[in-house]
Amino acid sequence: MSATTSARTRLSPDQRRGQLLDLGVRLLAHRSLDELSIDLLAEEAGISRGLLYHYFGNKIAFHEAVVRHAADDLIAQTAPPPGGEPLDRLLASVAAYVDYVTANYEGYVSLVKGAAGGNETLRGIYDEVREVLAERIFTEDAQGEVIVDTPRNHLVVRGWVAMAEELVIAWCPSPGEVTREELLDIIAGALPALVETLPTRP
Amino acid sequence: MSATTSARTRLSPDQRRGQLLDLGVRLLAHRSLDELSIDLLAEEAGISRGLLYHYFGNKIAFHEAVVRHAADDLIAQTAPPPGGEPLDRLLASVAAYVDYVTANYEGYVSLVKGAAGGNETLRGIYDEVREVLAERIFTEDAQGEVIVDTPRNHLVVRGWVAMAEELVIAWCPSPGEVTREELLDIIAGALPALVETLPTRP
């Protein structure tokens, strides 16, 4: 008896749904959202299309559930470690982000560039993720050691998150001469650079 | 006889098409692309829908032509002034970019967030604009006074362009305590800050 079959008979519906979403996220790593069909998931999970429709309702709801699951994964995996110096914690979080996008490139780009345009719910999930990543900078650095909580700095952090995303998306398929460590330094180093060295008018 | 009527009878088809595209771009300033219909353009231009279909073929081709025209406008309007110090020219170009987005907010956001997802041609135009804005940094600063032409710096500039866009889009509808001058300083100051102060591993 395979692990899948065993799990199918013993898991609760919620657990089974979670397991299917995990599989959906894994399938999305090297596929765009458009390429992730209920047929494909059914085949990979070894269960019927009818059962998947029972769990997810329709294709749009299925995609939304998978993307929400992926977003939860991304937020959890990029949480900074609980202790240590603020800059080291920032670097660890940035490294986790870069590694997540690298490991889930097709699905991530598909979310950012594609699904964002056509579907308000996916757009909402994407905006939520950006908001969480940006706000976390302030909640995780409550003493303001890296960045002080001001309206101007909230704007700067929002721009920094957009920059980080663009850098990873551009770097990943063609890193060229830029190593992963250099990329991490650019992204993590950019935040204090932006905050500390920007001119302010007299 | 109004200026429009006069122009309609004397302009060549290409000139007339260009005039209609100018009008389309102006209409897009405070509307999303979805809200820009051939009916609306026909009404504003005072000509028949049939004639507009003659010029643009169909709604998708019409939207593409308007967006390409808007992209050309953006690139032309943000060209740095021909002389002066590199940092002053950068600031002038950034100011023109911020003012362009401010004046054409709805249409610009619609292009970035919406149309980008659904239509490969619009996506292509958008990517072209980003590419031109990023590459111009190097061609306009051929002596490398602000930024030296290296693969790492090309990546940094690409991230900087994404950051600039996010900052303007976030700031424009709710500037809060951040003034236009502060926004310009943040964006223009970020580029040398990113290039000069980023750590490099030994």
Side-chain angles (χ1 to χ4, degrees):
Chain A
M1 183 182 265
S2 75
T4 305
T5 313
S6 165
R8 199 191 313 163
T9 51
R10 291 180 199 162
L11 294 179
S12 72
D14 274 359
Q15 287 173 318
R16 183 59 181 149
R17 194 170 182 276
Q19 201 183 46
L20 291 166
L21 288 174
D22 284 340
L23 176 59
V25 173
R26 286 202 302 279
L27 292 173
L28 205 54
H30 303 292
R31 279 176 188 84
S32 74
L33 202 56
D34 281 345
E35 293 165 340
L36 180 65
S37 64
I38 287 201
D39 278 348
L40 177 68
L41 186 72
E43 189 184 322
E44 292 287 331
I47 62 178
S48 72
R49 295 175 73 242
L51 190 56
L52 281 179
Y53 278 107
H54 167 74
Y55 279 118
F56 299 111
N58 57 52
K59 184 178 173 179
I60 291 175
F62 165 58
H63 279 175
E64 288 174 5
V66 172
V67 170
R68 185 164 292 281
H69 202 69
D72 291 344
D73 276 357
L74 170 62
I75 289 168
Q77 289 184 31
T78 57
E85 290 298 312
L87 276 177
D88 291 340
R89 300 175 70 223
L90 177 65
L91 188 64
S93 180
V94 166
Y97 174 72
V98 168
D99 293 343
Y100 182 91
V101 176
T102 303
N104 298 278
Y105 189 73
E106 294 297 330
Y108 191 83
V109 170
S110 169
L111 173 62
V112 174
K113 305 245 169 188
N119 179 309
E120 285 298 316
T121 305
L122 294 188
R123 177 84 228 162
I125 296 170
Y126 173 71
D127 284 343
E128 266 177 50
V129 171
R130 278 219 176 171
E131 177 85 8
V132 169
L133 296 180
E135 287 306 306
R136 189 157 65 186
I137 294 293
F138 295 99
T139 53
E140 290 287 336
D141 179 35
Q143 307 305 313
E145 291 178 68
V146 175
I147 185 164
V148 178
D149 191 339
T150 68
R152 175 182 171 284
N153 283 350
H154 272 268
L155 192 64
V156 169
V157 166
R158 192 167 163 168
W160 175 77
V161 170
M163 186 186 74
E165 181 181 277
E166 177 69 15
L167 287 173
V168 180
I169 287 177
W171 174 82
C172 204
S174 55
E177 301 172 20
V178 180
T179 66
R180 173 178 172 279
E181 283 63 39
E182 283 171 330
L183 180 70
L184 297 184
D185 279 342
I186 292 172
I187 297 173
L191 188 58
L194 288 170
V195 172
E196 288 165 23
T197 71
L198 288 179
T200 48
R201 284 183 191 250
Chain B
M1 183 182 266
S2 75
T4 306
T5 312
S6 166
R8 199 191 313 165
T9 51
R10 291 178 199 160
L11 295 178
S12 73
D14 275 358
Q15 287 172 316
R16 182 60 182 149
R17 194 170 182 275
Q19 201 183 47
L20 290 167
L21 289 174
D22 284 340
L23 177 59
V25 173
R26 286 203 302 280
L27 292 174
L28 204 55
H30 304 292
R31 280 176 187 82
S32 74
L33 202 55
D34 282 346
E35 294 164 341
L36 180 64
S37 66
I38 287 200
D39 278 347
L40 176 69
L41 187 73
E43 188 184 324
E44 293 285 331
I47 62 177
S48 71
R49 296 174 73 240
L51 189 55
L52 281 179
Y53 279 107
H54 167 75
Y55 280 117
F56 299 112
N58 57 50
K59 185 178 174 180
I60 291 175
F62 164 58
H63 279 174
E64 288 174 6
V66 172
V67 170
R68 184 164 292 282
H69 201 69
D72 291 345
D73 275 357
L74 170 62
I75 288 168
Q77 289 185 29
T78 57
E85 291 298 313
L87 276 178
D88 292 338
R89 300 176 70 224
L90 177 64
L91 188 64
S93 180
V94 166
Y97 173 72
V98 168
D99 293 341
Y100 182 91
V101 176
T102 303
N104 298 277
Y105 190 71
E106 294 297 329
Y108 191 83
V109 170
S110 170
L111 173 63
V112 174
K113 305 243 168 186
N119 180 307
E120 285 298 317
T121 305
L122 294 189
R123 176 86 228 161
I125 296 170
Y126 173 70
D127 284 344
E128 265 177 51
V129 171
R130 277 220 177 170
E131 177 85 9
V132 169
L133 295 180
E135 287 307 305
R136 189 158 65 186
I137 295 292
F138 295 99
T139 53
E140 289 288 335
D141 178 36
Q143 307 305 313
E145 291 177 68
V146 175
I147 186 163
V148 179
D149 191 339
T150 67
R152 174 182 172 283
N153 283 349
H154 273 267
L155 192 63
V156 169
V157 166
R158 193 167 161 167
W160 174 77
V161 169
M163 186 186 72
E165 181 181 277
E166 176 69 15
L167 286 174
V168 180
I169 287 177
W171 173 82
C172 205
S174 54
E177 301 173 19
V178 179
T179 66
R180 172 177 172 278
E181 284 62 39
E182 283 172 329
L183 181 70
L184 297 183
D185 278 342
I186 292 172
I187 297 173
L191 189 59
L194 288 171
V195 172
E196 288 167 22
T197 70
L198 287 178
T200 48
R201 285 184 191 250

